[in-house]
Amino acid sequence: MDDTLRTFAENISDDLLNSDNLDLKIVGTDNSGSEKILGETSIPVKQIVANKNKVEKYNLITFGYNSSAVDEANNFIIQDVKKNILNTSVLTLTGHTDRTGAAQYNRALSLRRAQEISRFFTANKIVTEGRGFDDLLFPLSLPEGRFYSRTVRITVDTYIDEEKK
C-alpha cells in the first residue's frame, strides 16, 4: 500500500465509518502545486454486522498442586468473566495440569477443575473438558510455568446478531 493510501486508511474516523454516505474527491496536484478536483462522488453506506461471534479467553484461574479447589484469589477473575456473559454466550471451560503424575489421572483432575469452575456460572450452554497435560499452555521448565499450567481456560463465545447503519 502506498503512503498516501495508508495515510487515508489510518485517518478514517469512526464517525465517517458510521455515516450514511461516504463522500470521495479525487484531487490532482500539478508540478507547480496547483490542485484541481478531478472527480467527486457520494457513495451510500450501510454497515451490516450479522451472525458474528465475539470470543474472549481467560487463562488466569489457577489451582494448587493436585487440587481442584477454587480459592478466593480467583473470585476477581470469575466476576470479570461474568460481566461478559450474555444470553447468547457459550462457555467452554477447559482444565489443564502440569506434567507431574500419570496422564489419565491428570485428565480426570483437569476435568474436575473445569467442573468446579462451572458452578460459578450460568449460561445457556456450558461445556467442560479436561486436557490434563496433553495441551500445555506454558513451558514447564520453571516452577512458574508448572503453576500457570494448573489452570482452567475459559472461553466465552457470544453470538452477536445486530444491524448497524
Side-chain angles (χ1 to χ4, degrees), residues 7 9 11 30 54 80 96 110 131 134 141 154 164:
T7 302
N11 290 322
D30 65 18
K54 175 181 167 187
D80 191 50
H96 297 271
S110 63
R131 297 270 174 89
D134 295 334
S141 56
I154 300 173
K164 296 179 184 176

Side-chain angles (χ1 to χ4, degrees), residues 27-41:
V27 178
T29 307
D30 65 18
N31 289 339
S32 66
S34 298
E35 293 183 349
K36 181 178 181 184
I37 296 175
L38 302 175
E40 59 186 299
T41 188

